[in-house]
Amino acid sequence: MKLLSFKVENYKSFNNEQGVSFNFDEHNANAIFGPNGSGKTNFFDALDFFKRFILHSTHFSDMGILYQPFALKIGNDQKPMRFTAEFSYGEMIFFYTFAIGKEKVQDEVLKAGFLDSRRKALTTVFSRKSIRNGAYDEAGFTKELLKTTRDNSLVLTRAFEVNNKIATMVFNFLIHLNIISRNQFISQTAYRIIGNPEYKQKVLEFLKASDLFIQDISVDQYPTPRKEDIDVIAGQEEDLSPVSKMNYQATTTHFIRDENGMVVAASRFDLVSQESTGTKRIFALASPILEVLDSGGVLYIDEFETALHPQECRFLVSLFNSKNNPRNAQLIINTHCGAIMDQLGDKNCFLFGKNQLEETIIGTIPSEARNVALEKKYNRGDFGAVPRVEVIK
């Protein structure tokens, strides 16, 4: 499965439609660059909203739609937000778009086809505006289904609730679309270590490969929830997992050595209070990265380089190279780490910036760059999408 493209319109810093068509080669990774405030996180938020609204749109009746249009142009608060994705799942390829205003869904279209015939036009599975004519009955998208779908909900969500086969495939893709913010808690990794020595060994090898001096790791759990570990958003049942119902204490083991450098004992450190911010960051990333490498899917990480050395960033990206990634898991990152530009190449890097109207504009590295010294050229400002900093006098 792959996220092939994603586009957004009239959402946060996006005015006119902007999007990314992801590149696929041996790296299985794409990186988004741009200065602070350029819209990288807004793009991340847009995909997160796309996923969560599809999964839970029928649960939003009491809280309304989270409507966040582009605020810097008169009249945009009367226009719908639009989200569009193209993705593959199994042998199928899907195109899905929906537009929503303050109170209701204004448009919704799902198309599908087979991967081996991608160049041909996809077949419309349903169009919300024309379901009533009976054209999509064979696929299970009937006028009766539309009648049971509220104006502020998606037909696709309702179809999944009645076990529609095509909707189920889309939902299976979304379940394997992992969207991870910089606030990913260490609890997820800790929870999975409990009672699973094989997984613990994978995490330990992951930490050691990141050039950390940790020799062992252990986790204790307590039946007392920590408020900061509970990330509950209305209508998101999957967030109410065992991870949020326990308190975890992870400890690392380091060697104690004598004056000759010989190991004579071991000492245990509390991960939260005694290890570095970078170590905690790598521990937190272990769970989503190991999971997607093991099962396949898509992993999107915002502020990827937070607390990480450029060499550690390069190492983590290298894990998605085809030789280390038998299930061809896909990595997408928002980052400022230019060190991975030359690692990935120009076709796998995307540039976010803003125009004079403060609209996010998405671009690519010019083809004439030819993958030579990309980081140097980017930092020099050759491609744009860098901060405009001035010396304060």
Side-chain angles (χ1 to χ4, degrees), residues 175-349:
I175 290 170
H176 291 88
L177 173 61
N178 306 288
I179 303 173
I180 307 297
S181 75
R182 66 173 181 173
N183 296 318
Q184 175 71 32
F185 300 117
I186 65 173
S187 299
Q188 187 176 6
T189 303
Y191 164 71
R192 290 177 175 163
I193 287 175
I194 296 289
N196 190 338
E198 182 178 349
Y199 183 78
K200 169 188 169 180
Q201 185 60 32
K202 287 184 177 180
V203 173
L204 188 58
E205 291 173 359
F206 184 84
L207 294 172
K208 288 182 176 180
S210 301
D211 197 28
L212 303 178
F213 292 97
I214 295 171
Q215 304 302 321
D216 197 7
I217 192 163
S218 60
V219 176
D220 296 312
Q221 60 180 343
Y222 308 93
T224 304
R226 296 190 303 183
K227 184 178 180 181
E228 62 268 26
D229 281 337
I230 302 176
D231 181 21
V232 179
I233 299 177
Q236 294 177 210
E237 291 86 348
E238 78 273 18
D239 288 329
L240 301 178
S241 65
V243 179
S244 65
K245 298 176 182 178
M246 299 296 295
N247 190 8
Y248 299 90
Q249 181 181 17
T251 57
T252 59
T253 299
H254 294 257
F255 286 147
I256 298 175
R257 303 175 185 272
D258 62 17
E259 61 275 11
N260 297 316
M262 300 297 294
V263 176
V264 295
S267 179
R268 298 180 68 186
F269 289 6
D270 177 72
L271 178 67
V272 173
S273 64
Q274 293 180 281
E275 292 287 4
S276 71
T277 302
T279 298
K280 288 181 283 189
R281 170 70 168 167
I282 292 175
F283 183 85
L285 288 175
S287 178
I289 289 178
L290 291 175
E291 179 181 359
V292 75
L293 289 173
D294 183 59
S295 61
V298 183
L299 177 62
Y300 188 176
I301 305 175
D302 190 27
E303 300 197 26
F304 172 71
E305 78 289 347
T306 299
L308 299 179
H309 188 276
Q311 292 287 40
E312 291 171 328
C313 293
R314 290 176 60 86
F315 161 71
L316 294 178
V317 169
S318 73
L319 294 177
F320 288 81
N321 189 285
S322 297
K323 64 181 180 181
N324 303 317
N325 182 11
R327 296 188 180 275
N328 287 317
Q330 179 184 2
L331 176 68
I332 304 168
I333 58 176
N334 292 342
T335 185
H336 296 290
C337 182
I340 65 172
M341 274 189 161
D342 293 287
Q343 179 183 5
L344 292 179
D346 62 278
K347 293 182 179 179
N348 297 56
C349 298

Side-chain angles (χ1 to χ4, degrees), residues 113-181:
F114 290 96
L115 272 173
D116 59 6
S117 60
R118 183 181 175 190
R119 293 184 182 277
K120 301 178 182 179
L122 300 179
T123 301
T124 300
V125 178
F126 79 90
S127 171
R128 188 184 185 107
K129 292 181 178 179
S130 56
I131 284 180
R132 292 181 178 86
N133 64 20
Y136 315 112
D137 288 0
E138 186 176 346
F141 292 89
T142 64
K143 57 185 177 182
E144 287 75 20
L145 179 66
L146 181 62
K147 288 179 181 179
T148 63
T149 304
R150 292 190 299 269
D151 286 346
N152 63 351
S153 301
L154 295 171
V155 170
L156 186 65
T157 312
R158 183 71 187 113
F160 173 76
E161 294 176 342
V162 297
N163 300 314
N164 180 279
K165 292 182 179 179
I166 297 177
T168 298
M169 284 191 282
V170 175
F171 270 59
N172 285 339
F173 167 80
L174 294 173
I175 290 170
H176 291 88
L177 173 61
N178 306 288
I179 303 173
I180 307 297
S181 75

